[in-house]
Amino acid sequence: MGFDEQEYTKSFDIRSWKKLAPFLRPYRGLIAAVVALNIVCAVIDIALPLFQRYAIDEFIETGDVSGLPCFAVFYGCIIALQALAVILFTRRSMRIEMQIGRDMKRACFVHLQTLSLSYYNVTPVGYLLSRIMSDTNRIAGMIAWNAVDILWAVFYVLGVFLMMFLLDPGLAAAVILIVPVISLLTGWFQDRILRWHRRVRKMNSRITSAYNEGIMGARTSKTLVIEEQNSREFEAGTQDMRVSSVRAARLSAVYIPLVMFFSSLTTAIVLARGGALVLDKLLLIGTLSAFTSYAVGIFEPIQQIARNIADFLSL
């Protein structure tokens, strides 16, 4: 067989993504709505610890619960608004994913009709099926979900940093010091995980192609008595894919606990420093509670940004 999949080493090529513009243009309204709904969700996520702070300082610390019913109703309305935004966002993102995926498959099918016979002579059908069916779904899903998740995470992280500095600049500085460590760890691990995932995708295309050739060329294989040779080649490909998948999984198994460790360390620093300030009457306990919520919640969006960017780069 004279075909071998191209080895992609370039991390990002904006020209490739510009080709998606015609597929996005018909859904500009839906995409704008999804972005707006995600911003609403991010604003509410940023505000929730402030409600927590208010409840602790105004009701628990003072022992006066006369205003609690009104606060509970208002808080419930905010949660209901967020739930509605999530429902609307999910429905629109699903529509974007399904419709863009359909449009790309249709465009690929039309394009395949224009290719020469020489292209089909050297390109396995299994490879084409893997690329057209699997990759179009993945690209559509990334546009509908990953890109919007990045937007939410960036908006949330920036908003949380702003709120932490407004609440207590000293505690905010302690959290900020850990962020570069998490960012460096994330960059180092994601680069290596990305390489192995690319290898897995490459091997998956080859395995799909081997399946197709094994089925379509069964008569030829039996005529030439090369069944054992085909089996050995297939086993080698699946073994390579298994090794690559395991190595990517091992990197993830080290990366995730490290991030959890530094996240827990940050929370411990906030509790230790903030607790001392509370005892010295320099900080309200409600503020410490809100700050702890921010410190616990900020690292997951940072990881989410890195994972989603790695997904984009892996295409």
Side-chain angles (χ1 to χ4, degrees):
M1 181 175 64
F3 171 85
D4 191 19
E5 184 179 356
Q6 180 182 353
E7 188 75 52
Y8 292 96
T9 57
K10 187 178 291 188
S11 294
F12 186 77
D13 188 353
I14 190 64
R15 291 173 299 179
S16 298
W17 289 97
K18 285 181 178 179
K19 295 177 182 178
L20 293 175
F23 298 101
L24 302 180
R25 199 170 294 118
Y27 308 109
R28 287 173 294 184
L30 276 176
I31 293 172
V34 165
V35 169
L37 290 167
N38 263 264
I39 292 176
V40 170
C41 290
V43 170
I44 294 175
D45 286 331
I46 294 169
L48 288 180
L50 299 180
F51 287 106
Q52 174 183 313
R53 171 198 182 201
Y54 180 85
I56 292 173
D57 290 341
E58 295 296 323
F59 305 129
I60 297 177
E61 283 291 289
T62 63
D64 180 11
V65 296
S66 58
L68 185 59
C70 291
F71 173 82
V73 171
F74 182 73
Y75 187 85
C77 291
I78 295 297
I79 296 298
L81 175 62
Q82 186 180 44
L84 178 62
V86 170
I87 292 171
L88 294 175
F89 148 70
T90 303
R91 292 182 62 180
R92 281 156 178 76
S93 288
M94 289 179 66
R95 286 178 58 190
I96 292 171
E97 180 182 9
M98 295 299 105
Q99 292 175 194
I100 290 179
R102 176 202 62 191
D103 293 347
M104 285 194 292
K105 288 183 178 66
R106 182 184 296 161
C108 287
F109 183 82
V110 171
H111 179 65
L112 287 174
Q113 313 308 306
T114 67
L115 298 177
S116 64
L117 289 175
S118 60
Y119 176 82
Y120 291 102
N121 288 335
V122 299
T123 308
V125 176
Y127 169 81
L128 293 175
L129 288 174
S130 175
R131 287 305 192 202
I132 293 173
M133 300 306 296
S134 176
D135 288 4
T136 54
N137 287 339
R138 191 172 179 216
I139 293 171
M142 290 174 66
I143 293 170
W145 303 100
N146 296 55
V148 179
D149 283 347
I150 290 175
L151 176 66
W152 172 88
V154 169
F155 195 88
Y156 178 82
V157 168
L158 293 177
V160 165
F161 277 143
L162 175 62
M163 293 311 305
M164 285 194 296
F165 272 107
L166 291 176
L167 290 174
D168 191 284
L171 285 178
V175 176
I176 298 281
L177 290 176
I178 303 294
V179 171
V181 178
I182 298 292
S183 300
L184 289 173
L185 276 175
T186 298
W188 192 89
F189 276 97
Q190 290 296 334
D191 178 63
R192 283 150 183 80
I193 292 171
L194 170 61
R195 293 179 191 175
W196 287 110
H197 277 306
R198 279 181 171 173
R199 186 174 180 85
V200 170
R201 288 180 59 242
K202 179 178 179 179
M203 294 310 303
N204 182 61
S205 294
R206 289 183 176 178
I207 290 171
T208 304
S209 176
Y211 262 119
N212 179 77
E213 291 180 359
I215 295 171
M216 300 298 292
R219 181 175 300 176
T220 302
S221 297
K222 291 183 180 296
T223 302
L224 299 176
V225 196
I226 57 172
E227 296 94 336
E228 291 187 7
Q229 178 183 336
N230 290 343
S231 296
R232 287 194 299 270
E233 291 176 355
F234 185 81
E235 183 177 353
T238 54
Q239 175 67 9
D240 194 358
M241 183 174 176
R242 185 193 71 83
V243 170
S244 300
S245 299
V246 169
R247 290 187 178 180
R250 284 176 178 171
L251 285 170
S252 297
V254 175
Y255 165 68
I256 294 173
L258 278 175
V259 172
M260 292 176 64
F261 167 76
F262 282 106
S263 177
S264 299
L265 178 63
T266 304
T267 304
I269 293 173
V270 169
L271 288 174
R273 175 62 179 161
L277 293 175
V278 170
L279 292 176
D280 293 337
K281 308 297 183 183
L282 299 175
L283 187 70
L284 294 175
I285 192 169
T287 301
L288 176 60
S289 175
F291 210 98
T292 303
S293 296
Y294 285 136
V296 170
I298 196 171
F299 291 109
E300 174 58 29
I302 292 174
Q303 296 174 65
Q304 186 171 318
I305 292 171
R307 284 195 301 267
N308 287 325
I309 290 176
D311 284 340
F312 275 101
L313 297 181
S314 69
L315 288 174

